[in-house]
Amino acid sequence: MKKRLLSTLLVAVLAGAMLAGCGKSESESGGSSSTSEEQGSSEGGSSDEKKEVIKIGIRADMVNQLESVRAKIEGLGYTVEESVFDDSVQPDVALAEGSLDMNWYQHGPYLESYNAENGTDLVMIEPKTFYPLFAMYSDKWDSVDKLPDGATIGLCNDATNQARGLNMLQSQGLIELDEAVEVPTMYDVKENPHNFEFIEAEMSVLPQSLGDADAICLAAGHMVNAGLSAEGYLCQSDDNDVYAVGFAVRSEDKDAKWAKEIAEAVQCDELAEYFKTEKAGTQIPCWE
């Protein structure tokens, strides 16, 4: 009798343990599924996901630009939350880490360089917004054709903008560059039929050379920053589409409806007027 009772109790204990184990396993399985969903959500989810708040990163010098189109973006049903940065690196860091949905301050070559150096996969979406005017200025001559032999030409001392200046001179038929060099410097001028003399300076101080040089090549915004007019340039760069500024997103959002809607919405009269007045025409709308 005692043995039979002991056996019955033992079976009951084992059965209870097995049921408890099954219940725990299902709970763990359900928790795992929930965690997976949460991870999917934290990684941005589908590009078609409905978004109500758009977190946009900008540089400090673009605060007014964003404000000029805020009503256009929010008119689509989105709420804009901006994050303002003092440099050109941190907005990409924040975007790659997921604390931003998009940023708006850089051109394609810069973004490509950032991706290559940091192993990121950020993408600039279409349509792009504007390009910074890059041109040749002179207070001695009123056309490229009048530049004399032996003229002194001022170039930027950073690699990207010096190459832009030289390529602009080449597109005008004034010099010929070494085709084997992807980012040419003034030492890569293969043919210089007019015997131009090249000098270089940091772009923000290059306008100070205007009185000494026959012409200078730089982004027009720095003319305005120096208190000079950005109008009356001798010629402008023909690679503006390459250096156009647009919205950057993570690769999984490159086809997102919300991203494209915003990129299209900012191509508006309000932004064109902002470029004309506050930027003194140094930023050219891509849609005009």
Side-chain angles (χ1 to χ4, degrees):
M1 181 68 178
K2 289 182 179 180
K3 288 182 179 181
R4 185 180 299 174
L5 180 59
L6 183 60
S7 298
T8 301
L9 290 173
L10 183 58
V11 169
V13 169
L14 288 173
M18 289 175 66
L19 287 172
C22 290
K24 181 178 182 181
S25 176
E26 290 172 0
S27 175
E28 288 175 348
S29 175
S32 175
S33 175
S34 174
T35 301
S36 176
E37 291 174 0
E38 289 171 1
Q39 288 173 345
S41 175
S42 66
E43 291 171 357
S46 167
S47 63
D48 294 328
E49 178 186 356
K50 174 66 177 177
K51 296 184 73 68
E52 295 181 354
V53 177
I54 306 295
K55 299 178 180 179
I56 303 177
I58 54 174
R59 276 199 322 249
D61 60 342
M62 297 181 76
V63 170
N64 290 342
Q65 178 174 306
L66 179 59
E67 285 304 311
S68 73
V69 296
R70 181 186 291 274
K72 284 289 184 179
I73 299 174
E74 296 193 339
L76 298 172
Y78 304 115
T79 297
V80 174
E81 289 185 359
E82 72 271 22
S83 294
V84 182
F85 300 86
D86 292 326
D87 64 22
S88 297
V89 176
Q90 293 307 310
D92 278 343
V93 172
L95 179 60
E97 291 178 346
S99 57
L100 296 176
D101 295 307
M102 56 189 355
N103 61 40
W104 191 33
Y105 71 97
Q106 64 197 318
H107 54 56
Y110 180 87
L111 182 60
E112 291 172 8
S113 175
Y114 181 87
N115 281 333
E117 292 176 4
N118 296 276
T120 49
D121 189 20
L122 305 180
V123 179
M124 186 168 292
I125 59 175
E126 297 287 349
K128 296 177 183 177
T129 312
F130 70 93
Y131 63 85
L133 177 63
F134 191 97
M136 178 191 293
Y137 292 90
S138 174
D139 63 359
K140 298 179 176 65
W141 315 102
D142 58 11
S143 75
V144 170
D145 296 336
K146 292 183 180 179
L147 288 172
D149 290 349
T152 300
I153 309 295
L155 300 170
C156 303
N157 65 356
D158 66 283
T160 299
N161 288 296
Q162 184 165 135
R164 290 195 76 186
L166 291 167
N167 283 320
M168 182 169 61
L169 292 174
Q170 179 171 255
S171 71
Q172 294 294 317
L174 299 174
I175 62 171
E176 186 174 334
L177 299 168
D178 186 346
E179 294 181 358
V181 180
E182 185 175 351
V183 184
T185 70
M186 61 185 184
Y187 303 108
D188 298 309
V189 176
K190 188 168 66 174
E191 293 186 17
N192 184 9
H194 299 285
N195 296 312
F196 291 149
E197 178 184 350
F198 299 105
I199 60 173
E200 57 182 345
E202 203 279 323
M203 185 155 53
S204 63
V205 302
L206 192 58
Q208 298 175 17
S209 303
L210 195 59
D212 301 319
D214 288 282
I216 59 175
C217 305
L218 76 168
H222 291 281
M223 293 288 288
V224 174
N225 292 342
L228 302 171
S229 173
E231 300 177 352
Y233 48 85
L234 306 189
C235 62
Q236 66 167 299
S237 174
D238 61 0
D239 61 357
N240 294 316
D241 58 328
V242 176
Y243 291 91
V245 174
F247 288 93
V249 299
R250 290 181 296 280
S251 59
E252 63 263 30
D253 291 328
K254 62 184 178 64
D255 297 317
K257 180 182 178 182
W258 55 266
K260 185 172 181 61
E261 283 184 339
I262 291 172
E264 291 175 345
V266 302
Q267 292 195 339
C268 59
D269 292 342
E270 289 84 350
L271 187 57
E273 182 65 20
Y274 168 81
F275 289 151
K276 181 179 179 181
T277 55
E278 291 201 38
K279 291 300 182 180
T282 61
Q283 294 180 356
I284 311 300
C286 288
W287 65 95
E288 293 189 346

